[in-house]
Amino acid sequence: KNEPKNADLCYRVARTVARLSGNNTTALQKTHALVEKAHKLEPTRSDYLTELGYQYGLLGDDETALKSFKEASQVDEGNVQALIGVIKCQVMMGKLDDAEQQLEFLNEIQASMGKSTELLYLGALLSWRQKGNREDSVKALDATVQQLVEQTKEMVPSFGFYATFNPQFLLEIIREYLQHCPTEPSDPTDPPSPYTEKALKPLELLVKNVPG
């Protein structure tokens, strides 16, 4: 209220709160309104458009999210997060061949820097959804989690920490592991599914850093 025209403040608050929202629709509608306000104040900021796309995705509107990510890419062709957003939307919308082509392109241009957690995760999604390759998908999820663990060790707790740590991303990884678990109840004497045990690692990381 005191800084109605501070676009960057709107953006930073919205990013952090959205990632701590637990997908609460009411909270996300409020954070989305803040990002929309930041975008209207500075319409040429590619990062604001990227965040708009991300939050549309959290609200379940992949089609509008895709439009925002594409617009962000047009404003700044070097915006890797926008390209990652485009690919994820394509996966969620079932446009798997398009997503695969985009991911191959992005992996090539990012080759010298190594794969980020987001690229590893997208690879996991495509391995399972497009090729039905559980082994490759789970390996990519394992690599994603391991990289997140290492990155978190270097982070300094702060307001912006939660935007970077992104609890929402960890929840997505956990859900991805759990879909590989048996759908039928196991015998009480059977050992836990290995995928359930794998899901515990990102869950422990989440609880440790966001205990509430």
Side-chain angles (χ1 to χ4, degrees), residues 152-170:
T152 305
K153 290 176 183 176
E154 299 172 5
M155 292 182 190
V156 177
S158 65
F159 181 72
F161 165 84
Y162 298 104
T164 305
F165 178 69
N166 196 355
Q168 293 285 0
F169 185 37
L170 282 164

Side-chain angles (χ1 to χ4, degrees), residues 1-10 12 34 37 41:
K1 291 181 180 179
N2 294 328
E3 299 190 55
K5 293 186 178 180
N6 189 330
D8 188 59
L9 180 63
C10 290
R12 286 187 288 111
L34 279 176
K37 183 176 181 179
L41 288 169

Side-chain angles (χ1 to χ4, degrees), residues 13-105:
V13 170
R15 280 190 84 225
T16 296
V17 175
R19 285 155 180 77
L20 289 168
S21 70
N23 267 76
N24 180 282
T25 303
T26 302
L28 287 172
Q29 287 171 343
K30 292 182 183 299
T31 60
H32 182 272
L34 279 176
V35 185
E36 189 72 63
K37 183 176 181 179
H39 170 56
K40 287 179 179 176
L41 288 169
E42 296 187 38
T44 58
R45 284 283 296 268
S46 180
D47 50 345
Y48 294 175
L49 280 163
T50 302
E51 185 61 22
L52 264 181
Y54 181 77
Q55 295 204 21
Y56 273 124
L58 291 179
L59 287 163
D61 189 350
D62 292 317
E63 193 169 330
T64 308
L66 182 59
K67 290 177 183 176
S68 292
F69 287 129
K70 285 184 173 179
E71 190 177 346
S73 293
Q74 289 169 355
V75 172
D76 178 7
E77 293 181 356
N79 185 337
V80 172
Q81 289 302 314
L83 292 174
I84 287 170
V86 166
I87 297 167
K88 186 179 178 188
C89 286
Q90 289 170 333
V91 172
M92 295 297 107
M93 296 168 72
K95 299 179 179 180
L96 301 180
D97 290 342
D98 291 342
E100 182 184 35
Q101 290 178 5
Q102 293 268 16
L103 183 58
E104 286 176 356
F105 168 73

